Amino acid sequence: MTNPSQSEFLWFLQLSRDGEFIGTKEKPPRKPTLAYLQSLISTAGEAGFEGLLTATNYHSEHENYTAAVAALARSAPTDPALLIAVRPGMFHPAMYAKMLATLQNLFPGRVRVNIVTGSSPAENAMYGDREDHGKRYERTREFMQILRQLWTAPPPQSFSSDLYDFENAVLDPAPVQPIPMYFGGASPVAQGIAADLADVYLMWGEREDMLAERLAQMRALEAQTGRPLRYGLRTHVIVRETEAEAREAAERLISRVDPDVRAAFVASHAHVDGVGQKRQIDMMKDLDGDLMVEPGLWAGVGMARSGVGVAIVGDPQQVAAKIRRYEDMGFSSFIFSGYPHLEEARRFGELVMPLLKGGAREERAIHTDRVAPVA
């Protein structure tokens, strides 16, 4: 019996140097040249991914909108879409609505947007953004409202609030196709914004009981708003021919974490005010030496990387089974990544994608004693 997945699968467009190890003092060897970005996009497409996420943070070597435009211009029309992340504090929404509409009209069907409120005031301050948590989310709500208004309502359009004020804005032509809005955030205010305005609500990988709790909260909000939502999961993945090889690859990834780099990373936790990032940090506390938080989910990436700190780890059948469990919970959009990104995209496409997009659904146990309940 076959059970092909109806989900969408996206990969990650690495805009910083790429390599086999994380947490080192030395920069990874592979530079994010335009040629490499294009190779990563085409490889992801060959592997079966529908799109790639371009993240936004101060530490990336490239500003992501500029890199996205260059990559779209260089790639083939049949290559995957780009999910372009944006921080509302960096752009005026009326201008950004026009920028994305232009991209969608030039590259039909290949543009999506991920709204990122930001979890670290210290990092936001690098962009000149000093708003507190509450004000950032107020701004995010209005940013998303304005994008939707300008993309769907006939011009001219006006808007007036304490945050944004513009008059008779003209966005013509409108996007040739709708631009899906992805949005994540674990706080109650973030969940409310997602229920009101997002197309896809994104969560970082957590234990299944934690995810089930948040899904229940969001479905309650869906019932109140009457707006259907799709749910997405962002996580790393490490797959090999055998579970033992996958575990070995996971340990190798963090085998060169420098103590000074690790200490500085832990110190940076004091500046985090995002609920989702705090949940990632708390999830790593009191783990055993293998860093497994539940069967098939490993927290080693969180030793040296902010954002999502977990990876699905196992052989192809185990990884596919874990993804199937997430699908059964209600997730239908997945954003994966792995180091180095080109090789891991190809490996996932060869080993796992056939099991998800047309292969037989095979449940296979992942050997660990740490089992978390599923709500």
Side-chain angles (χ1 to χ4, degrees), residues 150-232:
L150 290 174
W151 287 338
T152 59
Q157 289 292 317
S158 301
F159 190 93
S160 181
S161 73
D162 293 338
L163 294 173
Y164 298 113
D165 184 78
F166 58 90
E167 187 174 357
N168 295 326
V170 175
L171 197 160
D172 185 29
V176 65
Q177 295 181 14
I179 301 175
M181 284 200 287
Y182 294 61
F183 173 71
S187 66
V189 64
Q191 292 178 323
I193 292 171
D196 290 338
L197 294 165
D199 298 301
V200 181
Y201 175 64
L202 289 175
M203 306 183 205
W204 283 335
E206 298 178 331
R207 294 194 318 268
E208 290 182 19
D209 62 308
M210 298 169 69
L211 293 175
E213 179 183 22
R214 290 176 63 189
L215 284 169
Q217 293 167 352
M218 290 304 302
R219 285 173 177 140
L221 291 174
E222 267 192 273
Q224 294 176 18
T225 64
R227 289 186 71 249
L229 268 176
R230 291 176 54 213
Y231 296 100

Side-chain angles (χ1 to χ4, degrees), residues 8 10 50-51 81-84 110-114 179-180 182:
E8 65 170 10
L10 286 75
E50 290 93 334
L82 294 185
L83 174 56
I84 304 171
R110 298 189 61 204
V111 176
R112 312 172 187 185
V113 62
N114 180 33
I179 301 175
Y182 294 61

